[in-house]
């Protein structure tokens, strides 16, 4: 603490002050991200000017159209050529460029420019959906602290975050980003944790509270002891999740991508066959045939089909991210929508993972507060979770603890210690204890049946009472289970806890099925059996022992706030704020995304079929074909973006 006071007098410039070079770098990146929409709108503007100039000068009009083609088609042509060269495959980009150039070759400059403009605009909208899907979390990267104010015996100094080690003491001034995960050792402040947990309201932090790297300190100064190296912070894990999510696509999109290559080849072959065979077999003129072929090339291209999946999935991921639910990839959003069963771990997932005293039952002739004081005094020397729960109960009732002596842990049973010269023992209650008074035995059976862990209290070998403890259910658990049931989803609890306790918690939470006394491998076997029986299954857990089951499930969801590193690493989805109600909400969102994808695919297929039939049955002008085809592409993208609302 001496270092703290010494450091206060030598506070230097803020460790996390904005870097002008960093601001310029992000401005440049922002411009690059928006170049697609700029090029698309520029192409449209040139098209309009060229159309207006056409009545005065055909040469200038053609030059402006060429500029419109170049501005709107450059990025798409580049993508198409890269696919052709690197993957030796055709994609929709080359089809659209070929159709536009074909239209220009027979004098339909305006129609070709319109095709380029609308195609570029639809691509810009899809990129917008992709950017929005990662925006809320990617902003974390710009918040990543690079330096910290380290407090030492010789004062303060600014150090790189990578140099911090566990145990270092840091000063975080008001308005600064907290540079490392740690515990508050001095000071108090409200910390905005929205970047990590999705909570919109700042959380008050006092001595002993945990803080996360990447969160924003409020109006008070905090002295924080580092508890995790830079690469092990929750913040660093989130960035890793985002990077992984950007590289994964849903199965439906992978199918569409495979279909695109085959479909594009078929369209090109059909167009070539039409140009060659129609004049011979149908007697069409070459110019009429080529025009029909260009219309066919436009209306048959799978732009709308290709854009049916990702905008909807990316929008759903973006909406989830804003609420503190991180996906490692769109594939998991796809799978989540098909969920039939959700399995939960008990401790730390359905329950808070922190036992509390639910009842203190004392025998006749003993004072309840005196017994609680003695028990808490004896347990104050222990770090066991049950001991801390008893001490917390005494503190909540305002009791003053007494000095305890000769504390000794009794392996497999409990503890004993002397308080006021008397020997107090608190340990596991046994229903088969023949010496236990009838009143205590009867109450023990009732408490055990309710799912409590019951400890027996003895004073100098006299039976004094029982103290019942229970890991309380999370406040959102009952509502979360109820919402899942309303959606027709079966809920299961898989726990290593004993059967009686597991049954009691399951009844209180409303879980449909419960399996207790499970080892980690047993959980995996149950997950596999449920997956075989029901198909898609989600597993929700937080501990190291849940990691195998999370990996075995179709979708593994980890509790991000209190979850272990192993659980976070293998999970497909992370609940940053540990709100169980978000499980049902996210499943509902995934189902909505799935419905929108189906709507888009059906709509796109129908439009393509209708335009192809119309082109050969009645004849469709190239402008109408462009508007119909690219308009349907814009509609499916906008339909997917609805989820951003």
């Amino acid at each position: 603490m001496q270092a703290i006071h010494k450091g206060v007098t030598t506070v230097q410039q803020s460790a996390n002050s904005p870097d002008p070079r960093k601001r310029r770098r992000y401005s440049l990146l922002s411009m690059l991200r928006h170049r697609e929409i700029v090029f698309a709108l520029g192409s449209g503007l040139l098209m309009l000017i060229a159309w207006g100039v056409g009545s005065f000068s055909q040469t200038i009009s053609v030059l402006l159209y060429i500029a419109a083609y170049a501005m709107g088609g450059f990025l798409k042509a580049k993508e198409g050529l890269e696919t052709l060269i690197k993957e030796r495959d055709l994609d929709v980009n080359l089809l659209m460029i070929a159709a536009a150039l074909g239209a220009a070759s027979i004098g339909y400059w305006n129609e070709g420019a319109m095709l380029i403009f609308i195609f570029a605009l639809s691509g810009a909208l899809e990129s917008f959906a992709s950017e929005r899907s990662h925006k809320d979390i990617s902003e974390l990267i710009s918040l990543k602290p690079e330096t910290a104010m380290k407090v030492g015996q010789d004062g303060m100094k600014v150090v790189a975050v990578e140099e911090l080690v566990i145990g270092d003491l840091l000063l975080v001034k008001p308005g600064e980003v907290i540079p490392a995960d740690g515990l508050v050792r001095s000071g108090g402040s409200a910390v905005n944790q929205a970047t990590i947990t999705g909570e919109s309201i700042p959380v008050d932090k006092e001595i002993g509270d945990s803080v996360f790297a990447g969160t924003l300190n409020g109006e008070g100064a905090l002295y924080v002891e580092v508890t995790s190296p830079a690469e092990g912070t929750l913040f660093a894990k989130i960035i890793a999740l985002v990077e992984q999510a950007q590289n994964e696509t849903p199965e439906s999109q992978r199918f569409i991508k495979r279909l695109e290559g085959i479909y594009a080849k078929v369209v090109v072959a059909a167009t070539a066959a039409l140009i060659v065979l129609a004049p011979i077999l149908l007697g069409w003129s070459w110019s009429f045939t080529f025009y029909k072929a260009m219309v066919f090339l436009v209306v048959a291209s799978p732009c709308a089909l290709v854009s049916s999946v990702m905008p909807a999935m990316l929008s759903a991921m973006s909406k989830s991210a804003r609420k503190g639910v991180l996906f490692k990839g769109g594939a998991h959003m796809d799978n989540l929508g098909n969920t039939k069963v959700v399995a939960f771990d008990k401790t730390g997932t359905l329950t808070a993972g922190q036992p509390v005293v639910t009842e203190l039952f004392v025998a006749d002739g003993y004072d309840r507060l005196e017994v609680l004081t003695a028990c808490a005094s004896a347990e104050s020397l222990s770090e066991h979770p049950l001991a801390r729960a008893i001490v917390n109960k005494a503190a909540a009732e305002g009791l003053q603890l007494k000095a305890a002596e000769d504390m000794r842990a009794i392996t497999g049973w409990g503890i004993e210690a002397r308080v006021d010269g008397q020997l107090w023992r608190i340990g596991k209650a046994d229903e088969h204890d023949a010496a236990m008074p009838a009143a205590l035995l009867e109450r023990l059976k009732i408490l055990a049946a309710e799912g409590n862990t019951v400890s027996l209290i003895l004073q100098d070998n006299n039976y004094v009472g029982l103290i019942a403890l229970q890991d309380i259910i999370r406040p959102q658990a009952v509502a979360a289970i109820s919402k899942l049931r309303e959606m027709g989803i079966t809920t299961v609890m898989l726990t290593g806890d004993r059967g009686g306790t597991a049954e009691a918690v399951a009844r209180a939470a409303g879980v449909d099925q419960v399996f207790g006394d499970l080892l980690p491998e047993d959980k995996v076997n149950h997950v596999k059996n449920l997956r075989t029986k029901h198909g898609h299954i989600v597993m929700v857990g937080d501990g190291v022992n849940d990691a195998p089951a999370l990996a075995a499930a179709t979708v593994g969801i980890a509790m991000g706030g209190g979850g272990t590193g192993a659980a976070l690493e293998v999970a497909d989805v992370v609940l940053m704020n540990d709100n169980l109600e978000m499980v049902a909400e996210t499943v509902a969102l995934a189902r909505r995304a799935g419905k929108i994808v189906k709507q888009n695919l059906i709509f796109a297929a129908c439009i393509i079929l209708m335009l192809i039939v119309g082109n050969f049955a009645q004849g469709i002008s190239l402008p109408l074909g462009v508007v119909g085809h690219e308009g349907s592409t814009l509609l499916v993208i906008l339909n997917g973006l609805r989820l951003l609302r």
Side-chain angles (χ1 to χ4, degrees), residues 369-393:
L369 294 181
E370 289 181 2
V371 172
L372 180 56
T373 300
C375 290
S377 299
E379 295 282 13
S380 65
L381 301 176
S382 172
E383 289 299 319
H384 193 280
L386 298 182
R388 289 198 298 269
I390 295 172
V391 173
N392 290 339
K393 178 66 174 176

Side-chain angles (χ1 to χ4, degrees), residues 69-82:
Y69 276 53
M71 179 169 278
F74 171 73
L75 293 176
K76 293 299 180 182
K78 182 181 178 184
E79 290 179 23
L81 288 173
E82 286 177 351

Side-chain angles (χ1 to χ4, degrees), residues 91-112:
D91 65 7
V92 71
N93 295 300
L94 282 184
L95 292 188
M96 289 296 96
I97 298 299
L101 294 176
S105 69
I106 55 176
Y108 289 89
W109 287 97
N110 187 261
E111 287 81 355

Side-chain angles (χ1 to χ4, degrees), residues 103 111 174 186 192 230 277 318 332 348 394 401 515 566 570 581 589 644:
E111 287 81 355
S186 180
N192 186 335
L277 298 178
S318 175
H332 311 306
L401 300 188
F515 301 95
V570 302
E581 288 187 77
L589 181 63
L644 286 173

Side-chain angles (χ1 to χ4, degrees), residues 161-162 164 228-237:
V161 168
E162 290 74 17
L164 296 176
S228 178
E231 67 276 6
T233 63
L234 189 57
F235 184 89
K237 292 172 184 175

Side-chain angles (χ1 to χ4, degrees), residues 104-176:
S105 69
I106 55 176
Y108 289 89
W109 287 97
N110 187 261
E111 287 81 355
M114 185 185 300
L115 173 60
I116 290 288
F117 164 62
I118 301 178
F119 185 57
L121 184 61
S122 65
L125 280 177
E126 188 162 359
S127 295
F128 167 76
S130 178
E131 181 186 338
R132 278 294 301 269
S133 73
H134 301 301
K135 178 181 177 182
D136 299 285
I137 302 303
S138 295
E139 284 177 351
L140 289 174
I141 299 173
S142 66
L143 291 174
K144 182 179 180 181
E146 296 179 357
T147 58
M149 187 74 78
K150 181 179 175 181
V151 181
Q153 293 297 327
D154 54 349
M156 293 189 180
K157 63 177 179 178
V158 177
V159 298
V161 168
E162 290 74 17
E163 297 177 14
L164 296 176
V165 296
I166 296 174
D168 281 349
L169 187 65
L170 311 177
L171 168 63
V172 185
K173 292 187 288 186
E176 291 185 347

